[in-house]
């Protein structure tokens, strides 16, 4: 996830994102890729505790230097997309776990990234809330065309995926595309 998310460069092999070879990118180039092309959803939400839901969602737009009026409009729209239009002024400690994850998803999609990386996005949630969050992530993929890469240890989640890749020690152990098994191979990163 760190390589796909342009947080780290591969130590061997290669990795290209949207036509850019990450090995040839500067730290600033990688930062720009993260800001403009990748949204991150974490298990532990990573919300700023003293900031409202709206301010948390506006954060990537601040970094992108989006003007204040447009920043607010886009953040409100993202919160509406995740069903939290009525919680914009709430602080994280005033929200349930599922609502905090929805704020995190709104923050991840507010810049309209091509790629959404979700690292155990339901790990801290109960079963019912997990189903709601997975449905929301599926909607982001189907309605808005974002590619979603999700890391999970929960075998039940794999049923919603178009493709499942099981890794062990940096090696692909099982690669399933539309229920067709593809032979195991080494990662090319």
């Amino acid at each position: 996830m760190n390589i796909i998310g342009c947080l780290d460069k591969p130590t061997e092999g290669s990795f290209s994102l949207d036509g850019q070879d990450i090995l040839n990118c500067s730290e600033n180039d990688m930062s720009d890729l993260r800001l403009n092309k990748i949204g991150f959803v974490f298990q532990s939400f990573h919300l700023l505790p003293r900031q409202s839901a709206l301010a948390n969602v506006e954060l990537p737009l601040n970094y992108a230097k989006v003007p204040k009026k447009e920043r607010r409009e886009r953040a409100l729209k993202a919160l509406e997309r995740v069903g939290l239009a009525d919680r914009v002024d709430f602080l994280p400690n005033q929200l349930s776990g599922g609502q905090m994850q929805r704020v995190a998803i709104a923050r991840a999609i507010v810049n309209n990234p091509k790629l959404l990386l979700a690292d155990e996005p339901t790990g801290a949630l109960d079963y019912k809330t997990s189903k709601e969050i997975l449905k929301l992530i599926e909607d982001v993929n189907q309605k808005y065309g974002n590619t979603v890469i999700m890391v999970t240890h929960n075998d039940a989640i794999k049923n919603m995926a178009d493709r499942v890749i099981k890794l062990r020690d940096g090696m692909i152990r099982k690669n399933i595309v539309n229920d067709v098994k593809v032979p195991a191979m080494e990662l090319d990163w």
Side-chain angles (χ1 to χ4, degrees):
M1 287 292 272
N2 282 0
I3 293 172
I4 295 170
C6 296
L7 295 167
D8 293 328
K9 292 183 179 184
T11 53
E12 43 182 276
S14 63
F15 175 64
S16 293
L17 179 66
D18 203 25
Q20 287 190 268
D21 182 351
I22 300 308
L23 282 174
N24 296 325
C25 288
S26 68
E27 289 299 320
N28 284 342
D29 292 338
M30 288 174 57
S31 179
D32 286 345
L33 283 170
R34 286 190 303 271
L35 179 61
N36 297 307
K37 303 208 182 235
I38 304 170
F40 294 89
V41 179
F42 303 98
Q43 177 178 353
S44 57
F45 319 127
H46 293 295
L47 300 178
L48 299 175
R50 294 190 179 122
Q51 299 292 319
S52 69
L54 181 63
N56 269 283
V57 175
E58 286 179 325
L59 190 60
L61 300 172
N62 287 333
Y63 290 124
K65 297 180 176 39
V66 173
K68 187 174 184 176
K69 182 179 179 192
E70 181 185 348
R71 184 171 61 225
R72 182 174 177 83
E73 289 171 2
R74 287 173 57 183
L76 287 169
K77 184 176 180 181
L79 284 165
E80 184 179 324
R81 280 175 59 185
V82 299
L84 289 179
D86 61 340
R87 299 282 193 261
V88 296
D89 294 323
F90 284 54
L91 297 175
N93 69 356
Q94 297 172 308
L95 300 169
S96 69
Q99 290 170 332
M100 285 191 285
Q101 191 62 293
R102 287 175 182 273
V103 172
I105 292 169
R107 181 186 56 205
I109 64 174
V110 74
N111 265 346
N112 300 312
K114 291 182 176 186
L115 177 61
L116 184 66
L117 298 178
D119 187 8
E120 296 283 1
T122 62
L125 305 174
D126 62 67
Y127 178 77
K128 180 179 180 264
T129 306
S130 293
K131 283 180 63 175
E132 292 169 1
I133 293 301
L134 291 172
K135 177 66 175 136
L136 179 60
I137 290 172
E138 184 178 45
D139 287 348
V140 165
N141 169 254
Q142 292 181 355
K143 289 181 183 174
Y144 302 102
N146 305 75
T147 297
V148 178
I149 296 176
M150 188 178 330
V151 172
T152 185
H153 291 91
N154 184 341
D155 283 338
I157 292 174
K158 73 180 179 185
N159 294 330
M160 67 180 281
D162 294 328
R163 182 174 185 180
V164 176
I165 299 173
K166 290 189 177 187
L167 299 174
R168 184 179 300 135
D169 299 328
M171 301 282 290
I172 294 176
R173 297 297 177 203
K174 190 182 279 187
N175 186 352
I176 303 170
V177 182
N178 296 327
D179 296 324
V180 176
K181 291 186 180 183
V182 178
M185 60 184 153
E186 289 188 40
L187 291 175
D188 187 25
W189 308 343

